[in-house]
């Protein structure tokens, strides 16, 4: 199966005053469709930068990032926005719901940007997803009326509503208590299983890591470790030969 | 369909965002509402002033357009511009030509010839009155009355002798004043009065010619007048209203005095000051104790006591002295002291004194320098530089409706154009050369007044061709007055419309059938003037009015500059607050970008917010302005100064406001909010989606 995410010798430099900080120092990584991958690593290891590369919100200094067959560094801003809209779903550490919209409207928002579906189809999908994340009752509430876990559920629904190929989650459980955090991971796993959506998320929580099927460990801007955690068949082809220590 | 859904979410988000950032939006909204308010109030006030002024100015003196010589050195300023009488607007030597040409232009309803000038006028003094009474007493052989008048005239002469004695001390050449003093002293001597009883005619003539003129010198008053075709003027200017007396009969010389000028410049000063004080105390609620300016008026009023005492016949003086002694028992002294004490009013006694004045004093004094129906002597220096006097009957007083209180409009008196031409004089090149020659020959200072005209023009001076406009000199003044008193002024030659038309005018008022076509007619007039090669210029009433007329344009400029400044400041403030708000909302914007919003969407969101805010603020501010002006339209805006009375066309301006002004304000505010949003919106579109990832709670 062709990789949905392919990183080839990705280097990312950030100017910091007169110095240049190298956040990524030549990362090679491929992820197949339907994987449930965790990117782990300490703070400052470059894991968020790596996620940004995959999420098309940033482009590499050198090397290439190919998402769903398109090399992001060669796309214009507008085309990258389109790529994000169509192929990617985002779940943020701070939830990042639009405060002025209700839960249902937040979920509907990407569909409106998408602009391909009629009102009825949009409403059907929104209702279905809110039902799936267990928030059918809270559809009309604003984000500030919801708890942290509920907000993140809305965010998951929002990330999935466009039926993206990949869902990216940057520390999705960092702002949640451990019980809620595990419930969110369960939900993500369930969605992964039901829809065969590729999930890539970062965390440094050991309990959360244990739920992943593949763990990519980043240290000092390099791939330190890449291994399958559980025996599912899907992970067999995943490890990059050269990346395994 | 889907675009519509996107627009709806955009609008909904914008709307809710407005409520989510209340503090910022309240500040910005109030600022814009205030701007809209100002636009409505400012533009409607200006428009109201303009229309009020249009009505009063075009309907009083100016007409819609004014035509005058293109050779004019100064701009025409009907309501004052340059210094009194100093402006030179050139001449139109033959009005008839101008009239024919202008009347042929489409939309011209009427043309009225005019000439504005200033002159001094002379009127009967208290001494004249006394001499007049004496003459009557002598005619009636009323010895007691003759004796009383003798007493009065002698006491006046005594005062004059004192004054001239003082004057003598500062004179370098004493000959002339010695001669005058001798005359005055003679009138104080018993011998003269015994002689007078024997030969009344010689005696009275002496008083009339030797004593009375000495007082005259100090009793000249300045007067501004418009010489015009009075019939055409009255017919053409709808703001003209006769107040007292009658119009000047067609074809006769005469003048109409402005009621404002009559009441304020010709009225007995004590009476005028009393009324002014009363107005300030009763209508404006001031007190004498609390207002130094009013205290000063009282002081000046006290000094004017002779305006009362000089006018009283001896028996009237006795009665008044008795009444005043009863009113002011504590005051010691003669009538002069009593009147001075009486005039020294304060808050406690003002009303009683005012009533006393009206009841006991007013009936015995001449309230005005002259009465309607009187003949006055007007003297001017003609353009050729020689003095010229005419006697003219005052037929009545008039006012311009709505401008009753305005000093500017109240300064114009009206006079027939024939008399105006006499007073103006016409300077031809020939005469100018002759004058220069004579000046060179004799030196200007040496030309004695009584010789000047003969020297200049000889016996058959054609400048003063009309018989009634008797060319006079200082010494002839008394003769003239006597002639006037005897009714000679009534023996005025009649003149015809032809006489009016074929002669000099300085400027011409053009009245239009349809004032809205002013611009078009303006052009047409220039065309006609050019074809006829008349060498004239045409100005509209705003320019012709002078500085006050241009005040409206100036006020417009000031308003617009003020609005521009306010809006620039508003744009800066809005720009700043919105940039701050944008940075605060970076995560939200970044998130929208991350999940796939295009920059255009972010831009749309910002403009949508601004336009909603601008529209709401514009409607609120605009309607507030509308309400405010509508309220003022009911109660009126009081004019705080005379210039504003003129601009307001009355003591109060009742402004009108229309919905168009609200719409203009609304549109302006929306445009301004969009301009203010340009930069913050651009900043917002620059926010990278990565920002969303970096957000930490």
């Amino acid at each position: 199966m062709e990789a949905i995410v392919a990183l080839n010798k990705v280097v990312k430099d950030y100017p910091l005053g007169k110095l240049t900080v190298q956040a990524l120092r030549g990362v090679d990584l491929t992820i197949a469709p339907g994987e449930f991958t965790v990117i782990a690593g300490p703070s400052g290891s470059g894991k968020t930068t790596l996620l940004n590369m995959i999420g098309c919100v940033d482009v590499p200094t050198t090397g290439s990032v190919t998402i769903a067959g398109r090399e992001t560094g060669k796309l214009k801003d507008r085309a990258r926005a389109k790529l994000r809209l169509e192929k990617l779903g985002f779940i943020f550490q701070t939830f990042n719901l639009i405060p002025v919209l209700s839960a249902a409207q937040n979920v509907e928002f990407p569909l409106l940007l998408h602009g391909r579906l009629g009102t009825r189809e949009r409403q059907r999908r929104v209702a279905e997803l809110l039902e799936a994340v267990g928030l059918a009752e809270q559809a009309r509430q604003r984000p500030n009326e919801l708890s942290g876990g509920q907000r993140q559920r809305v965010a998951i629904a929002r990330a999935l509503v466009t039926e993206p190929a990949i869902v990216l989650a940057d520390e999705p459980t960092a702002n949640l208590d451990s019980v809620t955090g595990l419930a969110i991971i369960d939900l993500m796993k369930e969605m992964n299983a039901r829809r065969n959506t590729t999930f890539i998320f970062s965390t440094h929580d050991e309990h959360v890591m244990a739920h992943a099927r593949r763990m990519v460990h980043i240290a000092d801007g390099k791939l330190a470790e890449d291994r399958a955690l559980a025996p599912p068949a899907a992970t067999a082809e995943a490890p990059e030969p050269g990346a395994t220590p | 369909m889907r675009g519509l859904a996107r627009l709806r979410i955009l609008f909904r988000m914008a709307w809710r965002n407005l409520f989510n950032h209340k503090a910022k939006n309240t500040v910005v909204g109030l600022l814009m509402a205030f701007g809209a308010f100002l636009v409505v109030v400012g533009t409607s006030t200006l428009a109201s002033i303009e229309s009020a002024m249009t009505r009063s100015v075009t309907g009083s003196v100016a007409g819609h357009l004014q035509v005058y010589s293109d050779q004019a050195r100064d701009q025409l300023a009907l309501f004052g511009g340059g210094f009194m009488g100093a402006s030179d607007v050139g001449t139109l030597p033959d009005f008839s030509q101008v009239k024919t040409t202008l009347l042929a232009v489409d939309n011209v309803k009427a043309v009225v010839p005019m000439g504005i000038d200033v002159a001094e006028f002379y009127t009967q003094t208290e001494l004249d009155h006394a001499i007049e009474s004496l003459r009557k007493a002598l005619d009636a052989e009323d010895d007691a009355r003759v004796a009383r008048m003798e007493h009065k005239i002698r006491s006046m002469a005594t005062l004059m002798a004192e004054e001239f004695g003082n004057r003598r001390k500062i004179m370098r050449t004493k000959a002339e004043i010695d001669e005058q003093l001798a005359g005055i002293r003679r009138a104080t001597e018993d011998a003269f009065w015994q002689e007078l009883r024997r030969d009344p005619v010689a005696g009275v003539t002496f008083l009339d010619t030797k004593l009375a003129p000495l007082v005259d010198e100090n009793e000249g008053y300045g007067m501004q007048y418009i010489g015009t075709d009075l019939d055409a003027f009255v017919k053409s200017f709808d703001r003209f209203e006769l107040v007292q007396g009658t119009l000047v009969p067609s074809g006769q010389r005469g003048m109409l005095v402005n009621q404002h000028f009559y009441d304020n410049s010709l009225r007995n000063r004590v009476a005028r000051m009393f009324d002014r004080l009363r107005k300030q105390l009763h209508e404006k609620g001031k007190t004498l104790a609390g207002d130094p300016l009013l205290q000063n008026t009282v002081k000046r009023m006290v000094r004017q006591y002779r305006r009362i005492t000089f006018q009283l016949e001896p028996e009237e003086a006795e009665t008044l002295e008795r009444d005043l002694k009863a009113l002011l028992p504590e005051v010691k002294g003669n009538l002069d002291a009593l009147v001075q004490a009486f005039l020294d009013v304060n808050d406690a006694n003002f009303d009683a004194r005012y009533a006393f004045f009206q009841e006991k004093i007013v009936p015995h004094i001449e309230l005005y320098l002259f009465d309607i129906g009187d003949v006055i002597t007007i003297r001017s220096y003609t353009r050729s530089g020689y003095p010229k006097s005419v006697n003219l009957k005052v037929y009545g007083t008039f006012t311009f409706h709505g401008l009753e209180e305005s000093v500017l409009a109240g300064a114009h008196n009206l006079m027939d154009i024939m008399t105006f031409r006499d007073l103006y004089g016409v300077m031809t090149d020939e005469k100018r050369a002759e004058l220069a020659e004579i000046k060179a020959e004799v030196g200007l200072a040496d030309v004695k007044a009584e010789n000047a005209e003969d020297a200049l023009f000889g016996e058959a001076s054609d400048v003063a061709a009309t018989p009634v406009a008797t060319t006079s000199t200082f010494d002839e003044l008394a003769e003239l007055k006597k002639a006037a008193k005897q009714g000679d002024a009534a023996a005025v030659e009649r003149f015809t419309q032809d006489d009016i038309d074929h002669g000099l005018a300085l400027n011409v008022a053009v009245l239009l059938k349809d004032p809205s076509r002013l611009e078009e007619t303006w052009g047409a007039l220039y065309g006609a003037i050019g074809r006829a090669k008349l060498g004239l210029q045409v100005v509209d009433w705003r320019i012709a009015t002078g500085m006050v007329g241009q005040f409206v344009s100036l006020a417009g400029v000031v308003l617009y500059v003020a609005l521009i400044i306010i809006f620039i400041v508003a744009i800066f403030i809005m720009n700043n607050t919105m940039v701050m708000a944008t940075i605060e909302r970076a995560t939200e914007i970044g998130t929208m970008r991350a999940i796939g919003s295009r920059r255009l969407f972010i831009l749309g969101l910002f403009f949508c917010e601004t336009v909603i805010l601008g529209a709401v603020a514009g409607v609120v501010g605009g309607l507030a302005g509308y309400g405010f002006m509508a309220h003022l339209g009911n109660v009126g805006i009081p004019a705080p100064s005379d210039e504003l009375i003129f601009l307001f066309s009355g003591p109060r301006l009742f402004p009108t406001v229309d919905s168009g002004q609200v719409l203009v304000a609304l549109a302006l505010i929306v445009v301004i909010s969009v301009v203010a949003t340009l930069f913050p919106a651009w900043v917002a579109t620059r926010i990278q989606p990565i920002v969303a990832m970096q957000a930490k709670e």
Side-chain angles (χ1 to χ4, degrees):
Chain A
M1 205 172 198
E2 201 186 328
I4 188 86
V5 175
L7 277 73
N8 185 23
K9 297 189 184 70
V10 169
V11 172
K12 182 68 187 178
D13 297 334
Y14 287 112
L16 187 78
K18 283 181 182 171
L19 298 173
T20 301
V21 174
Q22 244 185 2
L24 294 177
R25 308 170 181 229
V27 174
D28 293 301
L29 177 67
T30 43
I31 294 171
E35 279 195 52
F36 195 77
T37 307
V38 64
I39 296 176
S43 289
S45 61
K47 82 182 149 22
T48 299
T49 309
L50 182 61
L51 271 181
N52 288 349
M53 294 295 151
I54 300 166
C56 302
V57 296
D58 209 347
V59 289
T61 309
T62 60
S64 71
V65 176
T66 308
I67 305 296
R70 313 196 63 182
E71 195 185 327
T72 62
K74 290 180 178 166
L75 298 176
K76 290 195 170 158
D77 183 87
R78 201 178 146 165
R80 274 205 301 277
K82 192 162 181 267
L83 186 64
R84 287 196 296 271
L85 181 61
E86 289 174 355
K87 301 290 177 194
L88 291 158
F90 288 89
I91 299 166
F92 305 92
Q93 183 182 340
T94 49
F95 323 135
N96 293 16
L97 298 180
I98 297 167
V100 295
L101 298 180
S102 70
Q105 284 163 345
N106 262 289
V107 175
E108 190 188 14
F109 185 74
L111 289 179
L112 287 167
L113 295 174
H114 222 280
R116 285 206 195 118
L117 303 175
T119 314
R120 196 164 297 170
E121 175 60 14
R122 283 201 312 269
Q123 283 168 356
R124 192 192 61 74
R125 279 207 200 179
V126 170
E128 182 195 307
L129 273 164
L130 283 175
E131 179 76 45
V133 299
L135 287 176
E137 302 283 303
Q138 285 79 12
R140 301 177 71 84
Q141 290 179 8
R142 297 270 187 97
N144 59 1
E145 296 163 338
L146 299 172
S147 70
Q150 286 173 323
R151 287 185 212 183
Q152 200 59 305
R153 282 161 194 270
V154 176
I156 290 168
R158 179 177 67 180
L160 292 168
V161 75
T162 53
E163 297 178 340
I166 309 158
V167 170
L168 284 168
D170 186 15
E171 307 246 8
T173 59
N175 285 311
L176 302 171
D177 62 73
S178 57
V179 178
T180 318
L182 285 176
I184 290 295
I185 295 299
D186 281 342
L187 180 63
M188 283 164 55
K189 253 164 92 177
E190 187 194 332
M191 292 299 167
N192 169 253
R194 210 156 19 144
R195 297 165 173 257
N196 200 33
T197 308
T198 312
F199 271 78
I200 303 168
F201 65 103
S202 69
T203 187
H204 48 253
D205 184 335
E206 306 260 333
H207 295 288
V208 173
M209 276 179 226
H211 290 266
R213 309 232 176 83
R214 175 182 173 191
M215 190 181 77
V216 176
H217 198 98
I218 301 279
D220 293 331
K222 285 187 171 165
L223 215 60
E225 193 186 355
D226 185 353
R227 62 186 163 100
L229 291 176
T235 37
E237 65 197 78
E240 196 73 17
T244 316
Chain B
M1 228 27 222
R2 287 186 290 261
L4 203 68
R6 212 180 311 181
L7 216 60
R8 212 164 53 218
I9 194 84
L10 198 68
F11 186 82
R12 189 182 293 147
M13 284 173 70
W15 180 251
R16 290 184 181 167
N17 272 326
L18 287 174
F19 283 93
N20 254 27
H21 300 84
K22 278 199 201 80
K24 177 206 93 171
N25 290 315
T26 309
V27 170
V28 172
L30 282 178
L31 205 63
M32 291 195 290
F34 180 65
F37 178 83
L38 272 189
V39 170
V40 171
V41 169
T43 54
S44 76
T45 305
L46 267 190
S48 303
I49 289 180
E50 173 131 359
S51 83
M53 242 184 92
T54 311
R55 268 180 280 123
S56 63
V57 173
T58 58
S60 57
V61 174
H64 300 104
L65 292 160
Q66 281 273 343
V67 176
Y68 63 113
S69 167
D70 64 1
Q71 301 298 310
R73 245 175 275 163
D74 299 314
Q75 275 202 345
L76 184 65
L78 297 173
F79 293 97
F83 298 98
M84 284 274 277
S87 63
D88 175 0
V89 297
T91 57
L92 315 173
D94 183 7
F95 166 63
S96 64
Q97 236 187 323
V98 179
K99 183 177 181 178
T100 319
T101 308
L102 298 185
L103 276 177
V105 173
D106 175 46
N107 197 31
V108 172
K109 187 166 72 182
V111 293
V112 182
M114 290 181 176
I116 300 176
D117 210 346
V118 287
E120 284 186 309
F121 70 94
Y122 297 86
T123 167
Q124 285 196 325
T125 62
E126 278 102 7
L127 184 59
D128 286 323
H129 278 288
I131 295 169
E132 183 72 21
S133 288
L134 176 68
R135 193 199 318 272
K136 278 181 192 151
L138 287 165
D139 283 350
E141 293 176 10
D142 179 346
D143 289 344
R145 193 167 157 80
V146 170
R148 282 202 302 273
M149 294 329 295
E150 177 193 336
H151 172 77
K152 185 169 182 179
I153 293 169
R154 281 174 79 168
S155 58
M156 283 180 180
T158 311
L159 279 170
M160 281 171 72
E162 206 177 296
E163 195 188 319
F164 274 68
N166 289 335
R167 226 186 272 181
R168 186 182 180 280
K169 290 176 198 158
I170 55 165
M171 298 291 253
R172 203 153 28 143
T173 52
K174 317 273 187 190
E176 198 184 4
I177 198 155
D178 279 342
E179 193 189 323
Q180 290 166 341
L181 254 173
I184 297 167
R185 295 230 168 87
R186 204 179 149 214
T188 65
E189 288 159 7
D190 288 342
F192 171 78
W193 291 94
Q194 282 158 19
E195 182 66 26
L196 181 128
R197 285 182 172 81
R198 268 197 302 280
D199 184 354
V201 176
V204 170
T205 306
F206 174 83
L207 291 175
D208 247 352
T209 56
K210 297 296 177 198
L211 196 62
L214 297 179
V215 179
D216 269 350
E217 283 298 300
N218 301 325
E219 290 285 340
Y221 292 86
M223 171 192 263
Q224 188 178 15
Y225 52 83
I226 302 176
T228 183
D229 178 345
L230 286 171
D231 293 341
F233 188 97
V234 169
K235 209 172 84 187
S236 303
F237 291 106
D238 57 3
R239 296 258 140 178
F240 173 92
E241 274 175 6
L242 192 72
V243 180
Q244 293 178 54
T246 61
L247 295 174
V248 179
S250 296
Q252 289 188 31
R253 289 169 181 257
M255 76 177 302
L256 296 170
V257 176
N258 199 302
Q259 185 70 38
H260 187 274
F261 180 71
Y262 194 59
D263 282 338
N264 288 282
S265 301
L266 304 179
R267 191 144 178 247
N268 181 292
R269 270 186 221 166
V270 176
R272 206 162 74 215
M273 285 167 158
F274 249 123
D275 278 348
R276 196 184 303 156
L277 286 173
R278 186 164 193 267
K279 191 175 174 186
Q280 293 293 322
L281 296 178
H282 285 210
E283 288 174 26
K284 307 253 164 116
K286 294 183 180 165
T287 61
L288 284 169
D291 192 328
L293 276 176
L294 293 184
Q295 287 164 19
N296 200 32
T297 306
V298 173
K299 271 185 210 149
R300 280 188 291 127
M301 189 163 81
V302 171
R303 284 202 291 274
Q304 299 292 329
Y305 71 97
R306 283 184 187 169
R307 305 267 163 198
I308 297 172
T309 55
F310 267 26
Q311 289 204 31
L312 299 173
E313 304 267 331
E315 66 269 37
E316 290 170 334
E318 277 165 34
T319 316
L320 182 61
E321 193 169 343
R322 210 173 51 237
D323 290 341
L324 280 176
K325 270 189 177 145
L327 184 75
L328 309 162
E330 72 284 0
V331 179
K332 303 277 173 281
N334 59 7
L335 181 62
D336 286 354
L338 282 163
V339 173
Q340 290 182 59
F342 169 77
L343 293 177
D344 193 9
V345 293
N346 60 37
D347 287 313
N349 64 24
F350 182 82
D351 287 340
R353 299 257 170 117
Y354 183 85
F356 182 96
F357 179 75
Q358 296 298 333
E359 190 191 337
K360 307 271 189 183
I361 297 178
V362 167
H364 303 292
I365 59 174
E366 292 281 345
L367 268 183
Y368 293 92
L369 277 179
F370 56 77
D371 290 326
I372 306 310
D374 279 1
V375 172
I376 59 169
T377 303
I378 300 171
R379 191 181 78 195
S380 78
Y381 284 89
T382 62
R383 295 297 134 146
S384 13
Y386 59 93
K388 174 90 186 170
S389 293
V390 297
N391 285 347
L392 202 58
K393 182 171 174 181
V394 176
Y395 278 89
T397 64
F398 72 97
T399 192
F400 293 121
H401 180 73
L403 295 174
E404 292 88 348
E405 300 282 323
S406 170
V407 177
L408 287 168
H412 287 300
N413 300 292
L414 294 175
M415 173 192 287
D416 69 276
I417 198 160
M418 304 305 281
T419 308
F420 167 80
R421 285 172 190 157
D422 289 342
L423 288 169
Y424 186 81
V426 181
M427 190 68 162
T428 61
D429 287 341
E430 201 181 322
K431 278 174 191 153
R432 205 173 285 126
E434 202 179 340
L435 183 69
E437 200 176 297
I438 291 160
K439 274 183 187 168
E441 214 169 279
V442 294
L444 187 60
D446 295 337
V447 180
K448 280 226 153 187
E450 52 263 54
N451 303 331
E453 291 205 1
D454 286 349
L456 281 170
F457 305 109
E459 298 272 279
S461 161
D462 61 339
V463 182
T466 47
V468 70
T470 321
T471 306
S472 88
T473 60
F474 296 100
D475 278 346
E476 280 172 310
L477 212 63
E479 299 291 328
L480 254 175
K481 280 187 188 169
K482 215 156 58 186
K485 279 172 203 152
Q486 286 154 9
D488 283 4
V492 172
E493 44 106 57
R494 302 297 173 100
F495 52 83
T496 63
Q497 191 64 42
D498 252 19
D499 295 327
I500 293 174
D501 291 350
H502 290 279
L504 170 120
L506 301 189
N507 55 297
V508 177
V510 178
L511 290 108
L512 305 182
K513 291 171 191 155
D514 176 6
S516 65
R517 285 166 57 204
L518 188 142
E519 301 284 328
E520 174 197 332
T521 311
W522 197 344
L525 285 174
Y526 261 118
I529 288 165
R531 280 191 295 280
K533 297 195 170 52
L534 289 176
L536 302 174
Q537 53 181 316
V538 185
V539 293
D540 77 343
W541 59 270
R542 287 180 198 81
I543 303 167
T545 307
M547 290 205 314
V548 181
Q550 286 153 31
F551 180 85
V552 175
S553 322
L554 184 73
V557 171
V558 170
L559 175 77
Y560 291 125
V561 168
L563 284 179
I564 287 169
I565 291 172
I566 287 173
F567 285 141
I568 287 176
V569 171
I571 285 174
F572 267 100
I573 296 177
M574 284 164 65
N575 182 63
N576 253 329
T577 34
M578 281 196 290
V579 169
M580 298 300 289
T582 305
I583 291 165
E584 263 172 49
R585 284 166 65 182
T587 305
E588 184 188 330
I589 294 160
T591 306
M592 286 193 270
R593 295 275 288 129
I595 59 182
S597 303
R598 291 188 356 218
R599 288 194 167 130
L600 197 65
F601 183 86
I602 308 293
L603 209 63
L605 181 64
F606 268 70
F607 282 121
C608 201
E609 283 178 30
T610 307
V611 167
I612 294 172
L613 183 60
V616 170
V619 167
V620 168
L623 287 182
Y626 188 92
F628 182 68
M629 291 315 284
H631 169 72
L632 286 181
N634 282 329
V635 301
I637 309 168
S641 75
D642 176 67
E643 284 76 10
L644 286 177
I645 293 181
F646 188 79
L647 292 180
F648 289 6
S649 301
R652 270 171 186 276
L653 176 72
F654 295 94
T656 53
V657 56
D658 65 65
S659 47
Q661 285 151 342
V662 177
L663 289 180
V664 166
L666 181 62
L668 200 62
I669 293 302
V670 169
V671 168
I672 279 165
S673 2
V674 168
V675 170
T677 314
L678 287 175
F679 182 67
W682 181 81
V683 168
T685 62
R686 295 292 109 184
I687 289 172
Q688 294 299 321
I690 196 168
V691 174
M693 314 297 265
Q694 291 159 346
K696 296 283 175 276
E697 214 153 71

